[in-house]
Amino acid sequence: MKKHLFTLTLLLLGTIHIVNGQTKEHSSYPWSFSFSYSPKINASKFKNNLNSGEFSYFTSFDHKFDHRVTNNLAVSFGIDFNRYIFNQKFTTFYGIEPGIREIYHRTMLMELPLQLNFHLRDTSKVFNPFFKAAYRNAFHYENIEHSYGYVHYELIRYFSFIEVGFGSYLKLSNNFSLIYETSFGYGLNYKSPHYYYVEGLIGVRYTLK
């Protein structure tokens, strides 16, 4: 835990130093925000999914702010949120008459990503590719209970992930662009070791003027 906080602190201090060292010319870059759909797919050898079921596919909705601090470097931060609900019905034969029971499985994941993008082209280009590196703090909530009440499980955990990948903006107008990313991630602090995943992202980005 201390090692992860130290890594995050270094990343934050480096970002602050870069921002403070910019000239007035570079400080004129506008802020942008985006809304995206972002699925994760478990690429691990073991079934250590974000939900405790058999589904390795886990989706999030991504909200980010980003700001280019030099001609090539941008910083991005925001919040990812997903809520997964799975209800399973089954028949039991306890007592004289059979009954239908249910299992309620609820999973929520909130991530706070801090991301650095290294752009290969300037902002005037229609196609604007970049490489990315990100550190993601995550809060994971799970709740499992049976409809008859005497099986119950509830847990809140802290996870952290690192990601590397690439992406691009596709400029549609002076304000709007499409954003898409592909990343490979690893669980630094996770409920089981050796957690790897592939994550995609596609969304819409708006640049303030």
Side-chain angles (χ1 to χ4, degrees):
M1 178 69 176
K2 291 182 179 179
K3 181 174 68 175
H4 303 153
L5 291 175
F6 179 71
T7 303
L8 179 60
T9 301
L10 287 179
L11 188 59
L12 284 169
L13 290 176
T15 302
I16 292 171
H17 176 73
I18 291 170
V19 173
N20 288 337
Q22 302 313 303
T23 63
K24 291 183 179 180
E25 178 185 357
H26 288 149
S27 65
S28 64
Y29 288 116
W31 283 84
S32 301
F33 64 91
S34 60
F35 177 76
S36 307
Y37 174 73
S38 180
K40 281 185 175 67
I41 300 175
N42 186 356
S44 305
K45 182 178 179 181
F46 308 102
K47 292 183 178 179
N48 46 5
N49 299 321
L50 283 164
N51 55 67
S52 57
E54 296 294 318
F55 301 99
S56 61
Y57 186 82
F58 197 85
T59 61
S60 293
F61 293 97
D62 180 280
H63 308 74
K64 283 182 183 176
F65 292 90
D66 68 88
H67 181 62
R68 191 176 289 212
V69 293
T70 72
N71 194 44
N72 298 103
L73 188 66
V75 61
S76 173
F77 59 90
I79 184 170
D80 293 5
F81 180 78
N82 183 76
R83 184 183 180 191
Y84 171 83
I85 299 177
F86 175 69
N87 296 339
Q88 181 181 16
K89 293 185 179 182
F90 59 96
T91 303
T92 63
F93 296 92
Y94 301 116
I96 299 175
E97 296 182 356
I100 297 177
R101 308 295 186 186
E102 283 190 279
I103 296 178
Y104 306 99
H105 180 199
R106 302 175 183 89
T107 303
M108 287 185 287
L109 180 72
M110 184 180 69
E111 296 180 274
L112 303 173
L114 178 61
Q115 179 173 319
L116 295 178
N117 297 335
F118 183 80
H119 290 265
L120 304 178
R121 310 180 76 181
D122 62 51
T123 57
S124 65
K125 306 300 183 182
V126 174
F127 180 67
N128 194 336
F130 57 85
F131 294 103
K132 59 166 282 190
Y135 183 93
R136 307 174 76 92
N137 291 287
F139 299 92
H140 184 263
Y141 169 80
E142 273 190 297
N143 178 284
I144 302 173
E145 60 181 286
H146 285 201
S147 57
Y148 46 88
Y150 52 80
V151 176
H152 183 78
Y153 169 86
E154 187 173 43
L155 186 63
I156 299 175
R157 288 175 287 195
Y158 166 78
F159 297 149
S160 60
F161 309 99
I162 55 172
E163 287 181 356
V164 292
F166 60 91
S168 181
Y169 302 140
L170 181 61
K171 193 173 182 179
L172 303 177
S173 69
N174 288 334
N175 296 100
F176 285 97
S177 58
L178 296 179
I179 177 174
Y180 46 93
E181 297 178 5
T182 301
S183 308
F184 181 76
Y186 174 72
L188 288 175
N189 178 40
Y190 191 64
K191 58 185 177 181
S192 60
H194 310 299
Y195 176 68
Y196 302 93
Y197 62 89
V198 177
E199 184 172 28
L201 180 146
I202 185 167
V204 178
R205 178 174 176 264
Y206 181 81
T207 301
L208 302 173
K209 295 292 185 180

